[in-house]
Amino acid sequence: MYKVSTNALLREYADSLKKRRKQKSLKATGTLAASSTSGTEAPESSPPVKKSAMAELFGTLFKTQVGHKPTLQLVKEEVTSYKAVNCIPLDSDPLLWWKTNEPFFPLTSKLARHYLAIPATSVPSERVFSTAGDIVTASRSALSADNVDKLIFLAKNMKIE
């Protein structure tokens, strides 16, 4: 079976892009015919800017803009401005508040959406009580509270493969 590594493919693609660029630049300057007939390369005025293979592949898709603030600084500024905002009344809907203020707090609103959207159910606690009922049976009723806690913890957290 023939295997090709990703790095080899990236190098090959980057090389082909360099060759095409070189040919385009030679065509643009009109030196392609002269260089192909004489067999020598035309001297370049300045060396081209070398880009990484990833920049060559994805440079047009994922443009990075230099000059933006680092994410940590953005988060600190956003949290500071969030702390400066007045509290909402107790009878108002926090989800609605976050929806209307999402443009002002885009990073913090993602956290709010994640944590405020947790459904208030008793299913996890019911599962723990069910596990406890499975562990403490009539034949195991003499177990101490500490041992029952440890067995419940192990039953809920240990995965047997």
Side-chain angles (χ1 to χ4, degrees):
M1 179 173 232
Y2 183 71
K3 289 186 178 180
V4 179
S5 70
T6 307
N7 289 335
L9 287 174
L10 288 174
R11 270 188 257 119
E12 183 179 326
Y13 183 72
D15 290 341
S16 69
L17 283 176
K18 287 178 187 176
K19 286 179 186 176
R20 278 191 252 149
R21 281 196 183 133
K22 194 171 194 178
Q23 287 174 351
K24 283 182 182 179
S25 67
L26 290 175
K27 280 182 183 178
T29 59
T31 57
L32 180 61
S35 67
S36 63
T37 56
S38 65
T40 59
E41 300 272 335
E44 295 182 23
S45 60
S46 64
V49 177
K50 188 169 184 165
K51 294 183 178 179
S52 68
M54 294 302 276
E56 290 285 335
L57 287 172
F58 303 114
T60 57
L61 293 175
F62 304 105
K63 293 184 180 180
T64 57
Q65 297 177 353
V66 180
H68 280 292
K69 296 177 185 176
T71 306
L72 180 62
Q73 186 178 358
L74 287 172
V75 169
K76 285 181 180 180
E77 290 174 2
E78 191 172 309
V79 169
T80 304
S81 62
Y82 170 72
K83 287 180 179 179
V85 174
N86 291 333
C87 292
I88 62 172
L90 291 176
D91 59 344
S92 65
D93 184 12
L95 293 174
L96 180 64
W97 186 91
W98 277 108
K99 187 172 181 99
T100 57
N101 290 298
E102 185 176 10
F104 305 111
F105 309 109
L107 301 171
T108 314
S109 67
K110 289 179 184 176
L111 287 174
R113 188 181 311 128
H114 178 76
Y115 288 107
L116 291 176
I118 297 173
T121 64
S122 63
V123 173
S125 61
E126 293 293 330
R127 286 188 183 143
V128 171
F129 283 116
S130 175
T131 304
D134 292 342
I135 290 173
V136 181
T137 60
S139 61
R140 300 175 94 186
S141 61
L143 287 172
S144 68
D146 289 336
N147 287 338
V148 171
D149 288 343
K150 290 175 186 175
L151 287 171
I152 292 172
F153 177 81
L154 289 174
K156 291 310 253 175
N157 296 306
M158 188 171 74
K159 296 191 190 289
I160 299 173
E161 296 177 10

